[in-house]
Amino acid sequence: VPRRSKKRRRILIDVDEVLADFQTPAFDIINRLFGKSLTAYDYEVWDLFELFTKEEGDAIRAEMGRPGVCASLKVRPGALDAVRELRDMADVHPVTSPFDSPTWVAERYAWLQEHFQIPRRDVVFTESKYLVKGDALLDDRPDNITTWLKEHRRAVGMLWHIPNTRTMTQYDHLRVKTWDEVISKVKKLAGV
Ligand SMILES: [Mg+2]
């Protein structure tokens, strides 16, 4: 099969808010702690912690970091099928910045194995995603994409659209809103 003679492309995929629904439990915690009813549409920043004081942020982090929270995150719609399709044509590596909690990393390894059958050796934990080499990066954090693209100029950066970055139009050229868009970009890269 001629396709196999070509080197397989390496696709790096962020986990929180791309594969896993982090925001729903985060907003549940925020709303419970502060008696509010906020959603992602009430924000226009990527980092929700920017809107809270240090003490409030610490309280949210303590709740999000509890054992079992990472393990119980829901898989985002369409992610299972999309990752399966991407893995048929490329090597897929979750690249994820671990939440500051002693149980997060172990739970995330298990979560990726359980839901996506992705083995530990394929997973990268780092806050410095620009250090990780690949042919494409899919991430919902704008500066993860722009910093990574500076290091990997010929690669493809895809900013996964989330409601709280909707007004950051300076990134619109990098934005992808559906898994179909991601798959078609990766198909082009993989030459299939
Ligand atoms: Mg993310």
Side-chain angles (χ1 to χ4, degrees):
V1 183
R3 195 180 295 161
R4 291 288 166 201
S5 63
K6 213 169 150 194
K7 194 169 171 279
R8 274 168 75 81
R9 299 295 186 172
R10 183 186 299 159
I11 312 302
L12 313 175
I13 302 188
D14 173 37
V15 177
D16 289 307
E17 240 32 55
V18 178
L19 302 182
D21 178 1
F22 177 93
Q23 283 194 343
T24 299
F27 280 113
D28 286 347
I29 285 167
I30 289 166
N31 291 332
R32 177 162 50 77
L33 286 176
F34 307 114
K36 299 191 177 191
S37 53
L38 298 168
T39 74
Y41 290 93
D42 297 312
Y43 294 88
E44 295 181 21
V45 295
W46 178 84
D47 184 359
L48 305 180
F49 287 97
E50 280 178 30
L51 305 181
F52 296 93
T53 65
K54 165 88 171 58
E55 289 71 24
E56 290 169 336
D58 287 346
I60 300 164
R61 269 185 283 270
E63 290 295 307
M64 278 307 285
R66 276 177 189 272
V69 172
C70 180
S72 64
L73 296 182
K74 300 268 191 305
V75 175
R76 294 194 82 252
L80 285 179
D81 288 340
V83 167
R84 196 176 301 125
E85 195 168 341
L86 291 172
R87 290 177 89 192
D88 281 343
M89 53 184 167
D91 294 335
V92 169
H93 292 272
V95 179
T96 178
S97 171
F99 203 73
D100 184 10
S101 143
T103 50
W104 194 269
V105 169
E107 290 185 18
R108 174 127 302 165
Y109 271 135
W111 190 92
L112 288 165
Q113 176 67 55
E114 181 194 337
H115 295 289
F116 292 89
Q117 291 77 51
I118 294 176
R120 293 168 65 103
R121 65 173 176 277
D122 287 351
V123 181
V124 180
F125 284 96
T126 182
E127 283 186 30
S128 303
K129 298 188 180 185
Y130 68 91
L131 295 172
V132 185
K133 197 176 165 187
D135 298 295
L137 170 65
L138 172 65
D139 198 298
D140 65 291
R141 182 173 192 154
D143 54 341
N144 277 348
I145 297 291
T146 54
T147 313
W148 186 81
L149 282 172
K150 277 185 197 144
E151 295 283 330
H152 307 93
R153 291 181 183 273
R154 301 165 65 105
V156 176
M158 295 179 275
L159 178 66
W160 184 251
H161 179 76
I162 55 171
N164 42 312
T165 65
R166 69 198 178 283
T167 56
M168 302 178 193
T169 53
Q170 69 271 37
Y171 302 116
D172 282 354
H173 63 293
L174 298 168
R175 229 177 258 279
V176 287
K177 294 192 171 180
T178 66
W179 281 112
D180 283 346
E181 280 179 71
V182 173
I183 286 163
S184 80
K185 280 175 190 278
V186 172
K187 269 187 182 156
K188 215 177 274 175
L189 260 179
V192 298

